[in-house]
């Protein structure tokens, strides 16, 4: 399939597990991919994934909480490739793990800055570039924690509920401009983020926590980054032309019920 031939996709959090898989997926379907991440030293892996999948890559180190740097990655995409068709607004952090009444203000502010302000700035700066290119598609990464409450990571859960609100509001505001906006809501996916949460909760027993988390999922396993990337690519493509303002769980049945 070449759903993105001649198209330009920006992926934030491109050095992380889900972002890396999305970079490879967009590239394999013909896109030129702009890989954005704060972890500049790790962007080489994203470039390798994009080029390995037959795509053209541009890496842009940027902090998604910084408006000048967000404007910078959008401008870099336009300068290098002349247009912007897709934004996978995916960079995120989990914060620390603690009950709400013990949670630190510093970690709360960091989580909201990256997961909410970062997503908002991405929409704010990428949407005009998409409109200039004749339309486009924004896919935000929310979470099942953006659909349900989550013990121990309340700021993260609040931030992902906010991503849902930004997604729906942006979809309404941009509906007649040819820019669609949707969100994916993954359950646990095999990336650094889950290893971090398992270690916070389990300490030396992180493997037991991982086993317990997996057993709570109807399909009895975590998802793989490439499984999220497949949904993101569909939502970003013209095949999803009538879909905007929607939230898509990708969760092995987790939100289907008990
Ligand atoms: N892994 C899961 O189980 C899971 C489940 C639901 C949602 N998510 C969401 O998926 C997204 C991707 O997470 P992941 O699982 O690939 O984790 P990850 O930690 O592997 O990747 C996150 C990436 O975001 C980057 N990042 C963090 N702060 C940034 C900033 N200020 N500016 C630019 N880049 C920044 C990190 O450097 C990292 O490369 C996140 O939004 C996360 O909340 C993950």
């Amino acid at each position: 399939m070449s759903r993105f031939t001649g198209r330009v996709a920006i992926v934030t959090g491109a050095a992380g597990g889900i972002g890396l898989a999305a970079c490879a997926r967009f590239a394999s379907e013909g896109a030129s991919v702009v890989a954005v991440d704060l972890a500049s030293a790790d962007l080489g892996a994203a470039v390798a994934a994009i080029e390995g999948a037959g795509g053209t890559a541009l890496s842009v180190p940027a902090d998604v909480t910084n408006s000048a740097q967000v404007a910078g990655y959008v401008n870099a995409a336009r300068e290098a490739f002349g247009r912007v068709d897709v934004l996978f607004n995916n960079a995120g952090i989990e914060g620390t793990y603690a009950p709400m009444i013990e949670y630190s203000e510093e970690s709360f502010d960091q989580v909201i800055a990256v997961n909410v302000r970062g997503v908002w700035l991405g929409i704010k700066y990428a949407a005009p570039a998409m409109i200039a290119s004749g339309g486009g598609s924004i896919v935000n990464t929310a979470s099942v924690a953006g659909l349900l409450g989550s013990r121990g990571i309340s700021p993260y859960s609040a931030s992902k509920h906010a991503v849902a609100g930004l997604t729906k509001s942006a979809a309404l505001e941009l509906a007649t401009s040819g820019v669609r906006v949707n969100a994916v809501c993954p359950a646990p996916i095999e990336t650094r983020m889950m290893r971090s949460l398992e270690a916070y909760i389990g300490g030396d027993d992180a493997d037991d926590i991982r086993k317990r988390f997996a057993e709570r999922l109807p399909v009895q396993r975590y998802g793989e980054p490439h499984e999220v990337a497949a949904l993101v690519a569909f939502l970003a493509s013209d095949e999803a032309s009538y879909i905007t303002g929607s939230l898509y769980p990708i969760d092995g049945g987790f939100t289907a019920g008990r």
Side-chain angles (χ1 to χ4, degrees), residues 3-30:
R3 294 180 293 190
F4 299 101
T5 301
R7 304 222 173 150
V8 177
I10 300 172
V11 176
T12 72
I18 293 172
L20 198 62
C23 284
R25 180 70 193 229
F26 283 128
S28 74
E29 295 198 41

Side-chain angles (χ1 to χ4, degrees), residues 180-192:
R180 296 180 297 102
V181 189
N182 294 288
V184 293
C185 302
I189 305 297
E190 298 283 8
T191 73
R192 180 213 63 82

Side-chain angles (χ1 to χ4, degrees), residues 16-18 37-38 62-64 90 141 156 160 186 189 191-192 194:
I18 293 172
D37 206 290
L38 184 61
D63 181 344
V64 299
N90 167 71
T141 305
Y156 180 82
K160 295 301 189 178
I189 305 297
T191 73
R192 180 213 63 82
M194 285 311 300

Side-chain angles (χ1 to χ4, degrees), residues 45-71:
V47 170
I50 294 161
E51 292 178 347
T56 306
L58 175 71
S59 67
V60 183
D63 181 344
V64 299
T65 69
N66 180 310
S67 57
Q69 294 182 29
V70 173

Side-chain angles (χ1 to χ4, degrees), residues 26-125:
F26 283 128
S28 74
E29 295 198 41
S32 299
V33 183
V34 180
V36 176
D37 206 290
L38 184 61
S40 51
D42 298 333
L43 276 171
V47 170
I50 294 161
E51 292 178 347
T56 306
L58 175 71
S59 67
V60 183
D63 181 344
V64 299
T65 69
N66 180 310
S67 57
Q69 294 182 29
V70 173
Y73 75 62
V74 173
N75 287 337
R78 290 182 81 175
E79 275 166 26
F81 302 119
R83 55 188 296 118
V84 177
D85 301 284
V86 172
L87 171 65
F88 182 33
N89 216 355
N90 167 71
I93 58 172
E94 68 277 21
T96 52
Y97 185 86
M100 203 182 297
I101 56 176
E102 291 167 18
Y103 209 91
S104 79
E105 288 185 38
E106 187 192 8
S107 185
F108 179 94
D109 289 344
Q110 275 174 353
V111 169
I112 299 301
V114 178
N115 297 5
V116 184
R117 181 180 162 86
V119 167
W120 169 64
L121 287 174
I123 297 168
K124 179 178 167 68
Y125 286 98

Side-chain angles (χ1 to χ4, degrees), residues 123-142:
I123 297 168
K124 179 178 167 68
Y125 286 98
M130 289 179 181
I131 293 167
S133 307
S137 175
I138 297 171
V139 182
N140 300 319
T141 305

